[in-house]
Structures are given as structure tokens and as C-alpha cells.
Amino acid sequence: MKPFTALALAATLAAAAAPALAGDTPAPEGAGVYFAGLEDGATVAAPFTVVFGLKGMGVAPAGTDKAATGHHHLLIDRPALGQGEDGAAELDAPLPADAHHRHFGGGQTQVSLDLEPGQHTLQLVLGDMNHVPHDPPVVSEVITITVE
Ligand SMILES: [Cu+2]
């Protein structure tokens, strides 16, 4: 009996941990986000403008239930999405909102960043109406920049 009990418990926990709609929003094939005009390895002077590039999808404010849309998130100084503390579970959960996870729920497509001098990593992640990454996730590469 023990293996069955353990399996049932694991299944129950997995179901409980996954919000109903998490990670269910499909992204069209070929969709992508990218840093427009900001190269990996670039040196910039603060404040600097980061422009969010998006192809194959549209931008819509958070809470908007419309296919093939989402809003931008900027991940600052943290591991690539899916490689953070919660691992792959990050891909199915709403993005946190803190200094390392900036939301642009108004549909903004750029931001002026005033980061401390030194090296920083940046990654763009598109989120659905509920701030959950799409399936498959629409993420940029992680770039490293140096702020003078
Ligand atoms: Cu969001």
C-alpha cells in the first residue's frame, strides 16, 4: 500500500500547488521578446532606457483576456527564469513583484533604469493576463551589462 499512498499524496500536492490557469496560456509559434538596441556585454551610463522588443504577439495591459497578447516583465540580477529558487515551477506561477521582477502591467514597452554602477543581468519575460509565463515561455536571453 505504501507506494500507492505516496503516489496519491504526490499527485494531490502537485494539483494543489498548481493554480488552475497557471502556465496554460499558449504563445504562438515564433513569438519572442528581445532587448531592442541593448547588446549583451554593453556598457551604459545610468539612467538608461531599455526598450522591450516583441515579435509574433501583441502587448496588452495586465488583466486583458486576449489571445496572443501579454505584458512585459524585466528580471534584474537574478538567474534565468526557470533556474531560480523555485526551479521550473517558476514557469507555471505568477511572477513575483519586487526589485528583481519589474512588471509593466500598463502595457509599457520601455523603461528608464537607474541601476547602481557595476555589472547587472537583465532578462525579459512576457506574462499573460495573470502575470504567468506563456506556454512555451516567451523569454529573452539573459544579458549582462555594465553600468558606469
Ligand atoms: Cu505582470
Side-chain angles (χ1 to χ4, degrees), residues 3-121:
F4 289 103
T5 306
L7 276 177
L9 180 61
T12 304
L13 287 175
L21 294 172
D24 285 346
T25 306
E29 202 178 321
V33 281
Y34 56 95
F35 292 101
L38 185 60
E39 305 280 329
D40 183 32
T43 297
V44 296
F48 58 98
T49 299
V50 179
V51 178
F52 315 144
L54 176 64
K55 60 178 181 177
M57 293 182 74
V59 173
T64 304
D65 187 5
K66 187 175 177 211
T69 67
H71 64 278
H72 288 287
H73 301 84
L74 182 61
L75 275 48
I76 304 173
D77 294 335
R78 53 142 290 161
L81 190 73
Q83 295 171 25
E85 280 179 22
D86 294 335
E90 290 186 321
L91 302 171
D92 293 322
L95 288 152
D98 56 31
H100 299 287
H101 306 82
R102 300 271 305 267
H103 290 243
F104 299 92
Q108 303 95 314
T109 57
Q110 64 177 55
V111 65
S112 177
L113 280 186
D114 195 4
L115 297 177
E116 295 293 314
Q119 277 202 344
H120 298 278
T121 65

